[in-house]
Amino acid sequence: MTAIDWMAVAETFSQQARFCAASPSSVAILQGCAAALAGPHVLRDILIEAHDLTRAAAVPLRVLGAVHRVALDGRAPELAQLLPSCGGIANASRVWAATEDVLKTETRFIASYLARAPQTNEVGRSAALLGGFLTIATETKLPLRLLEIGASAGLNLSWDRYRVTTPSFVWGTPESGVDLPCDCTGAAPPLNAGVNVIERTGCDLAPIDLASTEDRRRMESYIWADQVDRLDRMRAAVATARRLGVLVDRADARDWLARKLAIPAPGAATVIFHSIMWQYLLPDTATAIDRAIRAAGERATSDAPIAWLAMEPPGRDPGMPELALTLWPGGERRALAHAHFHGAWVKWAN
Ligand SMILES: C[S@@+](CC[C@H](N)C(=O)[O-])C[C@H]1O[C@@H](n2cnc3c(N)ncnc32)[C@H](O)[C@@H]1O
């Protein structure tokens, strides 16, 4: 067995702490972990069992999620009383001591929790995707058939049931349990589009099963403990998706899309959409999906148009995501907006 470079592992925790600056409790836990790894510590015993300690495995986020999960499950009352997500009062200065106790008492649970990669579904992205859907509905004047690839739990498939509140407009109904505040600038999307979603389905390699308490709680555990608003809106979106019966198939996007695009859908606009997933595709898969969508686009008619809506960082650049729409017949790609990763702001192109 090769020796573990604990200083390098500690550095991944320190780096993640810098990325989590918006969450003081996460910073405290991650910095505590980084310091603990300098010598013998229960955290080392836990991490020795992890198969992959490289940066790509995002082990610090796995540890953060595991510790949060114990608190959410009610098995760490002292830690929970310091975490807003668990009804506690934020107190970052005491979080690490309480976390260390959790690492000692829940060693086995935490070690096993690390085996799965963090899995999230950011419903705030619907605030940006909204503009693309409204543009498609306006331009095609047809009902929408939604096909989402890399859908995770499928929460963005219910975008039309959410309310988006911006400084210049509000879209959606007051009854919506999911309110997405968004700092929008630039020309607003066509807000008066008539929207009628007739199908909403998605696929994911590792879908979150909303009927499973375990899956729902796991998804919540990866939200930072200070982000109560995010947690609340995820829970409200989960309730909406379960009411609508949204289904996400366990499938590779390449195979799933090939099957879906083989089914003709006259009288509807078929919308293939995805957010923050393209970077995870193998190059061959990305090429195959690109080709399949373009081939379907070439077959499109005004009665059966094809739309490709993507919210992704441009190229391999880690910069802010771009919202791009390609609509066939025609097939011209348009950059509609730039957006914050979680939809906190959207800059619409003028
Ligand atoms: C960062 S998550 C984004 C999830 C969701 N689109 C969102 O915006 O919240 C990326 C998702 O892509 C999925 N994924 C990666 N490669 C895939 C593939 N080849 N086919 C289907 N899903 C894939 C992952 O399982 C993961 O759920």
Side-chain angles (χ1 to χ4, degrees):
M1 202 170 107
T2 50
I4 295 172
D5 179 351
W6 289 112
M7 292 320 288
V9 178
E11 176 48 30
T12 65
F13 281 83
S14 301
Q15 188 187 49
Q16 189 60 55
R18 294 193 284 278
F19 292 149
C20 290
S23 170
S25 66
S26 304
V27 171
I29 294 171
L30 293 163
Q31 285 179 342
C33 289
L37 289 172
H41 193 273
V42 64
L43 181 59
R44 280 194 178 189
D45 303 335
I46 290 170
L47 295 185
I48 279 169
E49 293 190 30
H51 295 291
D52 184 358
L53 290 175
T54 60
R55 202 171 294 277
V59 171
L61 290 178
R62 295 182 194 222
V63 172
L64 208 51
V67 170
H68 192 200
R69 171 65 186 270
V70 176
L72 285 169
D73 280 354
R75 299 203 306 277
E78 288 200 6
L79 178 60
Q81 69 182 10
L82 308 173
L83 302 180
S85 60
C86 303
I89 297 168
N91 187 339
S93 65
R94 290 173 49 208
V95 163
W96 172 243
T99 299
E100 257 188 321
D101 287 343
V102 170
L103 294 174
K104 286 175 195 153
T105 54
E106 297 280 346
T107 308
R108 291 300 333 137
F109 174 82
I110 291 174
S112 65
Y113 207 75
L114 303 190
R116 269 172 68 180
Q119 174 78 320
T120 59
N121 194 187
E122 183 45 62
V123 67
R125 290 174 189 148
S126 279
L129 292 165
L130 169 74
F133 294 124
L134 294 181
T135 303
I136 298 162
T138 300
E139 295 184 9
T140 65
K141 297 184 177 51
L142 289 170
L144 305 181
R145 173 191 181 219
L146 305 177
L147 307 178
E148 183 181 9
I149 55 173
S152 190
L155 299 182
N156 288 316
L157 280 160
S158 304
W159 62 272
D160 57 321
R161 304 304 168 104
Y162 304 157
R163 184 173 154 95
V164 177
T165 307
T166 80
S168 53
F169 68 84
V170 175
W171 189 92
T173 62
E175 299 82 49
S176 168
V178 184
D179 199 7
L180 307 178
C182 177
D183 193 4
C184 282
T185 52
L191 301 172
N192 295 325
V195 171
N196 176 16
V197 175
I198 56 166
E199 181 182 338
R200 44 185 110 228
T201 47
C203 78
D204 200 285
L205 280 181
I208 291 165
D209 177 4
L210 293 181
S212 151
T213 313
E214 164 60 29
D215 273 22
R216 291 199 304 274
R217 195 39 85 71
R218 189 176 260 275
M219 181 166 66
E220 291 175 6
S221 75
Y222 297 119
I223 290 190
W224 299 338
D226 304 284
Q227 298 181 318
V228 180
D229 290 353
R230 231 177 124 201
L231 190 59
D232 286 347
R233 78 184 183 207
M234 174 186 278
R235 286 176 173 156
V238 166
T240 303
R242 295 187 74 192
R243 252 193 330 271
L244 289 174
V246 170
L247 281 182
V248 178
D249 297 325
R250 182 179 297 275
D252 187 285
R254 173 187 190 154
D255 310 328
W256 185 83
L257 208 50
R259 285 198 300 276
K260 289 286 178 185
L261 292 178
I263 304 168
T270 294
V271 183
I272 302 121
F273 78 97
H274 50 90
S275 55
I276 321 300
M277 67 83 71
W278 201 261
Q279 71 214 74
Y280 301 104
L281 296 176
L282 296 170
D284 278 2
T285 306
T287 304
I289 293 173
D290 182 284
R291 284 200 186 125
I293 297 175
R294 288 178 194 287
E298 292 311 315
R299 298 191 299 272
T301 62
S302 55
D303 183 49
I306 295 282
W308 182 4
L309 181 64
M311 179 184 175
E312 301 287 349
R316 292 276 157 190
D317 188 334
M320 283 297 165
E322 178 186 62
L323 184 72
L325 171 64
T326 313
L327 184 59
W328 290 269
E332 185 196 343
R333 184 184 187 280
R334 286 175 272 170
L336 299 183
H338 279 89
H340 177 265
F341 269 93
H342 294 167
W345 55 258
V346 179
K347 275 186 199 159
W348 296 103
N350 289 310

